[in-house]
Amino acid sequence: MKKLGVYSLLVAAMLFSTGCSEKNADMNVDNGAGAETSNTADSSLANGSFSALEKAANGNYFMINGQKVLIEHVYFAFDKYNLTAENKDKATSNASKLSALSADTTVTVSGNTDEWGSDEYNYALGLKRANSVKDVLVANGVTANVALVSLGESSPVCTEKTKDCWAKNRRVEHDLSK
């Protein structure tokens, strides 16, 4: 009986230590040299008020009410979730573009971090970053449902071990769905 308890404890320790984040070692590296195009037009939307068009190095293009708009990523300093004046302007600009969406649309705001810190810390930081951007969207007229997601460090756009690369991973991205 004592062995069963020890084995159970070992299994629980192994599960706990592995964590819940999923690391994908085969990530595309974005060197920031220009727009990376991947046509992902979504024609399955009910009323056609928007569709995903392509990804750019600094955001995503969407067709919203017949106009192609760039919804920019919002970047953060190391270990920060507050918006600088520049990033608040970027989030406000995104809000003005997203305010045209109907209330039955969901804007998913995804917070991301660099690889520094524990998984738990990074998921919490990613959520705080997403919430900072959500606050600006809602305060500036976005009536669509705004959902928060924290990806922590599990979705890097750059995997090099440099300061510039880590800075690209400290971001909030936007996605749209019905």
Side-chain angles (χ1 to χ4, degrees):
M1 187 60 124
K2 193 174 183 179
K3 284 185 181 182
L4 181 61
V6 172
Y7 289 129
S8 298
L9 183 60
L10 286 174
V11 170
M14 285 188 341
L15 290 174
F16 180 74
S17 67
T18 58
C20 296
S21 75
E22 181 177 312
K23 311 261 191 223
N24 186 350
D26 186 25
M27 300 299 295
N28 290 331
V29 175
D30 177 13
N31 63 8
E36 173 186 335
T37 303
S38 65
N39 266 340
T40 57
D42 183 4
S43 59
S44 65
L45 301 171
N47 66 6
S49 64
F50 75 91
S51 62
L53 294 177
E54 59 194 74
K55 294 184 178 288
N58 62 337
N60 293 323
Y61 284 99
F62 295 95
M63 187 67 74
I64 299 177
N65 294 335
Q67 291 191 327
K68 182 179 178 181
V69 296
L70 174 65
I71 305 300
E72 293 183 83
H73 299 326
V74 179
Y75 294 92
F76 292 83
F78 176 77
D79 201 31
K80 301 291 183 197
Y81 63 90
N82 56 324
L83 293 170
T84 62
E86 178 185 345
N87 287 334
K88 191 168 187 175
D89 290 344
K90 208 180 274 190
T92 303
S93 172
N94 287 343
S96 70
K97 298 168 191 173
L98 294 170
S99 65
L101 295 172
S102 61
D104 65 340
T105 303
T106 298
V107 178
T108 303
V109 181
S110 303
N112 295 272
T113 66
D114 59 29
E115 63 189 60
W116 295 99
S118 68
D119 286 345
E120 295 82 8
Y121 181 83
N122 284 336
Y123 280 110
L125 181 58
L127 190 60
K128 289 177 182 178
R129 288 175 175 171
N131 197 46
S132 294
V133 172
K134 175 189 177 182
D135 290 345
V136 173
L137 296 179
V138 172
N140 287 282
V142 175
T143 59
N145 179 37
V146 181
L148 299 178
V149 174
S150 177
L151 299 174
E153 64 186 82
S154 67
S155 185
V157 294
C158 187
T159 57
E160 297 170 16
K161 305 292 184 197
T162 65
K163 288 182 180 183
D164 289 340
C165 182
W166 292 321
K168 291 177 186 178
N169 292 331
R170 296 189 297 262
R171 71 197 185 285
V172 165
E173 296 182 351
H174 304 73
D175 198 14
L176 307 178
S177 62
K178 282 284 182 187

